[in-house]
Amino acid sequence: MEKKPLQKPLRRGKDRSEYAIRDYVLITIGVFMISIAVNWIFAPNNTVTGGLTGIGIILFKLTGIPIYITNLLLNIPLFLVGVWKLGGSHFGLKTLYGTLSLSLFFKLTSPLLEHPLTHEALLASIYGGLLLGLGLGIVFRGRATTGGTDLVARLLQHYIGKQPGFLLLFIDGSIILTAAIVFGVERVLYALISLFITSKTIDFVQEGISRAKVAYIITSKVEEVREGLLYDIDRGVTKLTATGGYTGEERPLLMCVVYQSEVSRLKDLIRTIDPNAFVIVSDAHEVLGEGFKPA
């Protein structure tokens, strides 16, 4: 007798469309936040952000050319050259949408240049960095970018063979050096604070608050600990094989993911069963699957 599947097959077409809509919503929210950070905080305080937006701020102060025009004039040719030289797979429609919508929001939020959130440079670097990091992190969650220096880095890598990380560092460093000449060294020091905060905020948005912990347990009472984790704490357990570095002997290693609120119960359980057990507990930034987020 043929067994029936436990669940219906996924309707992949519908799933793709749902994810696509979600991604474009995230990109729109993200670029809106980026435009607010630039026009409401960074540009009025002569603080650069790195990337092509930093070039836009510098040119705006020197020539009065609106940032949205600079963003288009720099990004669109880069996008087209990138598609020509590297192929469309490297530069998807979402990146084009991110670039165009960012310019649109730069235009729509440009009145904020006349009413900045603050004139205090340190506050501008802190809150601007937070808002910019939130926006970029949300765009990245939408699986897109807003163009910029990452496109330049990919093109340069194609021609000169250097790693993208080194090229991005060189490009952003050159932009910041230019800003030091235009705005002065002190403003650049504030910009470095902002860049650090932006980077950490992007990581926070990408990884989220660490509410889950992963525990690795080496114990001589494997079955007792396994049953305690399964039935007392009600969490799944994976049994791995580890090799002792000193003895060379193989021994079981238990891996268990729990919520942060369950860590104390886990440690008490293991301490009760085997006080000599070796336990490592570390952060699990994102957990997908049964009992946690849907995969």
Side-chain angles (χ1 to χ4, degrees):
M1 180 176 175
E2 185 179 353
K3 293 184 178 179
K4 293 182 180 180
L6 296 176
Q7 59 183 16
K8 295 179 180 179
L10 291 174
R11 289 176 290 179
R12 296 188 180 274
K14 182 179 179 181
D15 289 342
R16 286 198 193 99
S17 63
E18 288 176 351
Y19 277 115
I21 293 171
R22 186 208 67 170
D23 288 347
Y24 281 103
V25 170
L26 289 175
I27 295 167
T28 304
I29 294 171
V31 296
F32 174 70
M33 296 178 73
I34 293 169
S35 69
I36 292 289
V38 172
N39 281 334
W40 200 27
I41 302 175
F42 285 123
N45 286 280
N46 296 334
T47 304
V48 294
T49 62
L52 297 187
T53 303
I55 295 177
I57 293 173
I58 294 172
L59 290 177
F60 173 68
K61 291 299 178 180
L62 290 177
T63 66
I65 298 175
I67 297 172
Y68 75 91
I69 292 180
T70 304
N71 187 69
L72 281 176
L73 291 178
L74 293 177
N75 271 302
I76 297 303
L78 282 173
F79 183 87
L80 295 176
V81 172
V83 171
W84 175 40
K85 291 294 184 181
L86 302 179
S89 61
H90 289 79
F91 305 96
L93 287 175
K94 291 177 185 175
T95 295
L96 179 61
Y97 175 77
T99 300
L100 295 176
S101 58
L102 181 59
S103 292
L104 174 63
F105 280 117
F106 276 150
K107 170 66 174 176
L108 295 177
T109 61
S110 58
L112 293 174
L113 289 164
E114 304 298 327
H115 308 282
L117 176 64
T118 179
H119 290 287
E120 174 59 46
L122 181 58
L123 291 177
S125 64
I126 294 173
Y127 289 103
L130 284 171
L131 191 56
L132 180 63
L134 282 172
L136 287 170
I138 292 172
V139 170
F140 296 158
R141 288 294 292 265
R143 292 178 286 186
T145 71
T146 57
T149 50
D150 61 327
L151 301 185
V152 180
R154 290 184 189 181
L155 287 170
L156 288 177
Q157 182 190 26
H158 177 72
Y159 286 106
I160 65 179
K162 293 289 185 180
Q163 290 299 314
F166 170 79
L167 294 170
L168 280 171
L169 181 63
F170 175 78
I171 295 166
D172 285 339
S174 300
I175 294 170
I176 291 173
L177 180 62
T178 304
I181 297 172
V182 175
F183 300 131
V185 175
E186 185 176 289
R187 290 290 171 175
V188 170
L189 295 178
Y190 285 120
L192 293 176
I193 295 173
S194 176
L195 289 172
F196 176 79
I197 294 172
T198 297
S199 173
K200 293 301 179 182
T201 306
I202 291 173
D203 291 342
F204 170 78
V205 175
Q206 291 283 85
E207 298 173 355
I209 300 174
S210 179
R211 295 172 53 238
K213 301 285 185 178
V214 57
Y216 300 96
I217 307 154
I218 298 176
T219 174
S220 59
K221 300 181 179 180
V222 176
E223 288 306 311
E224 293 94 326
V225 172
R226 182 186 69 84
E227 290 184 3
L229 295 172
L230 285 172
Y231 303 115
D232 293 346
I233 299 182
D234 194 24
R235 285 297 175 193
V237 184
T238 299
K239 185 187 291 187
L240 307 173
T241 300
T243 303
Y246 180 73
T247 63
E249 297 179 356
E250 288 191 355
R251 61 180 68 185
L253 170 69
L254 299 179
M255 183 184 73
C256 181
V257 179
V258 297
Y259 280 117
Q260 189 166 351
S261 60
E262 297 171 322
V263 171
S264 295
R265 289 176 57 201
L266 179 142
K267 292 192 292 186
D268 289 342
L269 172 76
I270 297 171
R271 191 181 297 115
T272 301
I273 297 173
D274 183 6
N276 297 317
F278 185 77
V279 183
I280 301 172
V281 180
S282 61
D283 290 334
H285 286 289
E286 189 169 18
V287 183
L288 305 176
E290 186 176 351
F292 294 91
K293 293 182 182 179

